[in-house]
């Protein structure tokens, strides 16, 4: 990710967050929906006649803060105020249920009833709500009763209301839908960045961050009116999808933390537990979505409570990693803070009996902005850090390789280097190989000492003058190799050999005698490997030594090897 890309993402996130603030102001208290709320409720069994229950005033409780799921059927009563706009829809929070019965009761007693099975309920533009058309409501209608069979969540009872139109009927609703669409679009950006990160890093935490971002994007789609605008799936389909995606979000968040926090900067036990938390979240969500009525009166509360250990372990992991100096944990802790608050709100309101349940949806949307900004920044910083470390390791490896291929005394390349480079240099036009050996070098060491001998070796290396058309190598001891190219390759080699006495005499005075060298020179013929060509040049060097030293033996590049150097030059050793 480029710096400008991060800056643009941060600017967009801040803008969206500021635009969400007016809507999020009501999030903590989960503002009541606009419409007619229920005034009383009554429990009943599935076998009882709904009309009979309606007429039994003793069954009704008008304390709407104490809804109970113990009964198989729960009736909600709504009072129609004369002169007010007549409602046309029944809306409530999506959760698993069996059937909804809607009854319109007129002033003089007639009742009109519609029954809608759960599979036929449609999704409302109000995020997370379903809707159902009411029976005909007239000026004579005084009450609407909604009987819900096998409700599985208290929010279905607490958030039920009547409205003359579906949500998104005014400018503010459409503005909020557009903001959520912008947020969903912003979540696509980290997916693109992660594709680039993964190509460079091949780290699993990039994949888990992608899964986390994708699950957050899916959550926004299924919990808001965007899914209705785009797909309009049945309400119960969105209900179980919301449950499963929530489990995926928790699981991918746990695995992202597991793989993202630097090694050694989280307690080993906490790191080992995080994958189990992920598996537990997936199991809970899939089971709750597939079997919502197994322990219906308490299942939603038990399901919510089962995530408490996961939230506690996650918070402990962040605190422990931060305390140990993890930079990744700092980004995560800041980015996840709103999400942790959402989890705490859901836990407290879902478990404390006298509180209305809240999913803190608006705070969740604001949390998505924080998550996108800070975890993406964390991934980007980790990318830069890991790239820097890999570049440093690569540079160190290259340095070590250069050191392993360099003769420490003369700074020339060594035998390992020429063996590795040989085929490439031949492809670049190098056509001759010379093996050079200093004459009577053992005597120099014996008479003048090894330190003087070392100075002689360095002077010889200077005489060989490596350059664009000549490569010089020290193979060991007093033996050197030249690789040359060009039509005058033989001349270049001979001039370097003949320069050795003068350069050594100038560099290492007091030797008492000139230092000469013998050379074997051969062409790089055909496809022979280095070993074969070196062996031929070494044999020619031996011939030069046997012929009296301080001379060259070799073949013209255009003549058969062994016919001798074009013009033999020899000096007495």
């Amino acid at each position: 990710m480029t710096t400008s890309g991060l800056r643009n993402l941060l600017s967009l996130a801040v803008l969206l967050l500021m635009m969400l603030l007016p809507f999020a102001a009501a999030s903590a208290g989960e503002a009541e929906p606009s419409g007619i709320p229920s005034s009383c409720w009554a429990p009943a069994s599935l076998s009882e006649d709904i009309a009979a229950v309606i007429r039994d005033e003793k069954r009704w409780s008008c304390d709407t803060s104490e809804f109970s799921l113990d009964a198989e059927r729960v009736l909600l009563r709504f009072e129609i105020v004369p002169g007010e706009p007549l409602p046309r829809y029944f809306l409530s929070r999506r959760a698993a249920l069996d059937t909804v019965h809607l009854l319109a009761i007129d002033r003089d007693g007639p009742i009109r009833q519609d029954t809608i099975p759960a599979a036929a309920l449609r999704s409302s533009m109000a995020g997370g709500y379903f809707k159902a058309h009411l029976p005909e409501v007239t000026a004579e209608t005084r009450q609407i009763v909604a009987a819900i069979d096998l409700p599985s969540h208290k929010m279905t009872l607490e958030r039920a209301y009547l409205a003359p139109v579906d949500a998104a009927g005014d400018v503010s609703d459409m503005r909020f839908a557009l903001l959520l669409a912008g947020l969903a679009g912003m979540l696509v950006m980290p997916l693109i960045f992660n594709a680039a990160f993964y190509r460079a890093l091949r780290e699993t935490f990039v994949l888990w961050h992608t899964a986390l971002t994708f699950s957050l994007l899916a959550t926004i789609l299924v919990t808001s009116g965007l899914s209705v605008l785009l797909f309009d799936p049945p309400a119960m389909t969105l209900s179980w999808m919301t449950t499963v995606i929530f489990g995926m979000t928790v699981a991918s968040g746990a695995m992202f933390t597991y793989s993202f926090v630097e090694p050694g900067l989280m307690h080993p036990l906490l790191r080992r537990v995080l994958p189990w938390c992920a598996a537990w979240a997936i199991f809970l969500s899939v089971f709750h979505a597939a079997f919502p009525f197994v322990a219906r009166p308490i299942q939603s509360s038990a399901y919510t409570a089962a995530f408490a250990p996961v939230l506690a372990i996650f918070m402990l992991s962040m605190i422990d990693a931060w305390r140990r100096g993890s930079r990744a944990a700092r980004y995560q802790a800041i980015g996840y803070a709103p999400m942790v608050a959402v989890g705490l709100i859901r836990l407290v309101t879902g478990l404390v009996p006298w509180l209305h349940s809240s999913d803190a949806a608006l705070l969740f949307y604001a949390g998505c902005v924080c998550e996108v900004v800070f975890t993406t920044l964390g991934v980007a910083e980790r990318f830069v850090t890991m790239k820097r470390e890999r570049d440093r390791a690569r540079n160190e490896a290259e340095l070590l390789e250069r050191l392993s291929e360099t003769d420490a005394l003369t700074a020339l390349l060594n035998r390992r280097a020429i063996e590795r480079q040989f085929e490439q240099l031949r492809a670049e036009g190098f056509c001759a190989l010379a093996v050079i050996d200093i004459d009577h070098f053992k005597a120099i060491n014996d008479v003048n000492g090894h330190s003087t001998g070392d100075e002689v070796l360095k002077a010889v290396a200077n005489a060989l003058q490596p350059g664009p058309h000549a490569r010089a190598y020290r193979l060991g001891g007093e033996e050197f190799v030249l690789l040359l190219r060009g039509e005058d390759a033989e001349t270049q080699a001979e001039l370097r050999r003949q320069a050795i006495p003068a350069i050594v005499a100038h560099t290492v005075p007091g030797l008492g005698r000139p230092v000469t060298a013998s050379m074997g020179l051969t062409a790089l013929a055909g496809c022979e490997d280095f070993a074969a060509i070196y062996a031929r040049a070494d044999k020619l060097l031996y011939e030069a030594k046997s012929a009296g030293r301080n001379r060259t033996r070799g073949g013209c590049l255009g003549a058969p090897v062994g016919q001798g150097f074009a013009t033999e030059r020899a000096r007495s050793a």
Side-chain angles (χ1 to χ4, degrees):
M1 179 187 290
T2 63
T3 303
S4 60
L6 283 173
R7 189 182 300 113
N8 292 338
L9 177 61
L10 181 59
S11 300
L12 178 59
V14 171
L15 176 62
L16 282 172
L17 188 58
M18 292 177 65
M19 296 176 72
L20 277 170
L21 286 178
F23 298 98
S27 181
E30 194 73 21
E32 294 292 336
S34 58
I36 304 172
S38 62
S39 58
C40 300
W41 67 280
S45 65
L46 296 180
S47 60
E48 290 183 276
D49 179 64
I50 297 176
V53 176
I54 292 175
R55 288 191 295 268
D56 188 355
E57 286 296 329
K58 295 180 179 180
R59 302 282 292 272
W60 290 92
S61 170
C62 293
D63 183 0
T64 55
S65 64
E66 303 245 348
F67 288 109
S68 173
L69 298 175
D70 292 339
E72 296 176 316
R73 173 180 289 160
V74 177
L75 282 67
L76 303 176
R77 189 169 69 196
F78 302 85
E79 306 296 335
I80 306 300
V81 179
E84 294 292 329
L86 297 178
R88 294 285 181 257
Y89 291 94
F90 170 74
L91 298 96
S92 189
R93 292 308 294 261
R94 286 193 307 255
L97 53 84
D98 183 74
T99 309
V100 174
H101 308 273
L102 297 174
L103 298 90
I105 306 173
D106 289 347
R107 179 172 53 184
D108 52 359
I111 297 177
R112 293 174 297 281
Q113 178 176 342
D114 284 341
T115 297
I116 306 102
L121 291 172
R122 306 308 301 173
S123 297
S124 168
M125 282 297 298
Y129 280 71
F130 69 82
K131 66 180 179 181
H133 282 278
L134 295 175
E136 182 184 5
V137 179
T138 69
E140 298 298 315
T141 304
R142 291 296 175 260
Q143 291 180 340
I144 298 291
V145 173
I148 303 173
D149 294 348
L150 303 181
S152 63
H153 202 293
K154 288 175 65 177
M155 288 184 70
T156 304
L157 309 178
E158 296 167 347
R159 300 297 174 187
Y161 70 100
L162 306 181
V165 295
D166 191 7
D170 57 32
V171 174
S172 62
D173 290 330
M174 291 304 298
R175 186 184 297 119
F176 185 60
L178 289 174
L179 283 175
L180 292 182
L183 176 57
M186 193 181 71
L187 286 173
V188 175
M189 296 172 64
L191 298 178
I192 299 173
F193 292 142
N194 284 345
F197 289 150
Y198 188 71
R199 288 185 61 187
L201 295 180
R202 299 289 177 181
E203 292 287 341
T204 56
F205 71 79
V206 179
L207 296 178
W208 286 118
H209 186 254
T210 300
L212 174 60
T213 304
F214 181 80
S215 62
L216 289 173
L217 175 59
T219 302
I220 291 173
L221 290 176
V222 300
T223 59
S224 69
L226 296 177
S227 57
V228 181
L229 286 172
L230 297 174
F231 313 111
D232 196 18
M236 292 301 105
T237 299
L238 288 180
S239 178
W240 69 257
M241 287 179 63
T242 301
T243 302
V244 172
I245 293 171
F246 176 73
M248 292 172 53
T249 303
V250 175
S252 55
M255 292 307 299
F256 175 60
T257 303
Y258 168 81
S259 56
F260 187 51
V261 174
E262 302 88 340
L265 297 184
M266 183 191 297
H267 194 284
L269 178 60
L270 291 172
R271 195 183 291 272
R272 285 196 300 269
V273 169
L274 283 172
W276 290 102
C277 290
W280 177 242
I282 292 292
F283 167 76
L284 284 175
S285 60
V286 171
F287 181 86
H288 187 55
F291 308 103
F293 303 121
V294 172
R296 184 186 56 82
I298 63 169
Q299 185 163 325
S300 291
S301 297
Y303 169 73
T304 302
F307 279 96
V310 176
L311 182 61
I313 291 171
F314 178 79
M315 294 175 65
L316 287 174
S317 299
M318 289 294 95
I319 294 171
D320 180 70
W322 190 319
R323 185 179 59 83
R324 293 169 184 257
S326 169
R327 292 183 61 84
R330 295 176 186 177
Y331 283 105
Q332 276 195 279
I334 297 172
Y336 284 170
M339 294 298 189
V340 172
V342 170
L344 292 173
I345 291 172
R346 291 181 178 182
L347 278 172
V348 173
T349 60
L351 298 178
V352 177
W354 57 85
L355 293 179
H356 277 202
S357 299
S358 172
D359 57 7
L362 294 176
L363 183 58
F364 168 80
Y365 297 142
C368 287
V369 177
C370 293
E371 190 281 335
V372 167
V373 172
F374 289 100
T375 60
T376 303
L377 287 174
V379 170
E381 195 218 30
R382 185 73 173 276
F383 169 78
V384 172
T385 301
M386 295 182 71
K387 185 177 183 300
R388 188 183 300 118
E389 291 174 351
R390 291 186 180 187
D391 289 344
R392 185 185 302 116
R394 187 182 298 111
N395 292 337
E396 291 176 353
E398 291 175 354
L399 176 61
L400 290 174
E401 184 176 5
R402 287 196 297 270
L403 291 175
S404 69
E405 294 182 348
T406 303
D407 177 61
L409 178 64
T410 63
L412 295 179
L413 296 174
N414 58 22
R415 186 185 189 102
R416 178 177 177 180
I418 193 173
E419 289 177 343
R420 183 179 65 82
Q421 299 173 355
F422 183 73
E423 293 301 329
Q424 178 183 348
L425 291 174
R426 175 153 61 181
E428 293 176 1
F430 285 82
C431 57
L433 183 144
V435 180
I436 301 171
D437 190 88
I438 301 174
D439 298 328
H440 302 297
F441 183 71
K442 184 176 184 300
I444 296 174
N445 277 335
D446 292 343
V447 174
N448 302 97
H450 287 279
S451 60
T452 301
D454 289 345
E455 295 300 316
V456 170
L457 291 173
K458 289 191 281 187
V460 171
N462 291 333
L464 296 181
Q465 297 177 6
H469 301 290
R471 297 285 191 272
Y473 304 84
R474 182 189 176 200
L475 266 62
E478 66 271 27
E479 187 174 352
F480 297 83
V481 167
L482 283 173
L483 272 177
L484 307 108
R485 64 181 169 186
E487 295 180 358
D488 61 341
E490 296 173 348
T491 303
Q492 292 183 60
E494 180 63 15
L495 290 175
R496 283 172 167 78
R497 186 191 71 80
Q498 292 185 21
I500 289 174
I503 292 178
V504 171
H506 176 75
T507 307
V508 190
L511 291 176
R513 54 176 295 175
V515 176
T516 63
S518 302
M519 181 170 70
L521 176 67
T522 185
L524 274 58
C527 297
E528 292 179 297
D529 61 12
F530 170 75
I533 296 172
Y534 170 78
R536 185 165 63 246
D538 191 56
K539 182 178 180 181
L540 293 169
L541 170 66
Y542 179 76
E543 291 178 7
K545 290 280 190 181
S546 299
R549 294 184 172 85
N550 190 23
R551 67 194 65 222
T552 295
R553 282 288 187 270
C556 296
L557 298 184
V561 175
Q563 289 186 0
F565 193 73
T567 302
E568 178 180 306
R569 299 171 176 85
R571 302 187 187 278
S572 57

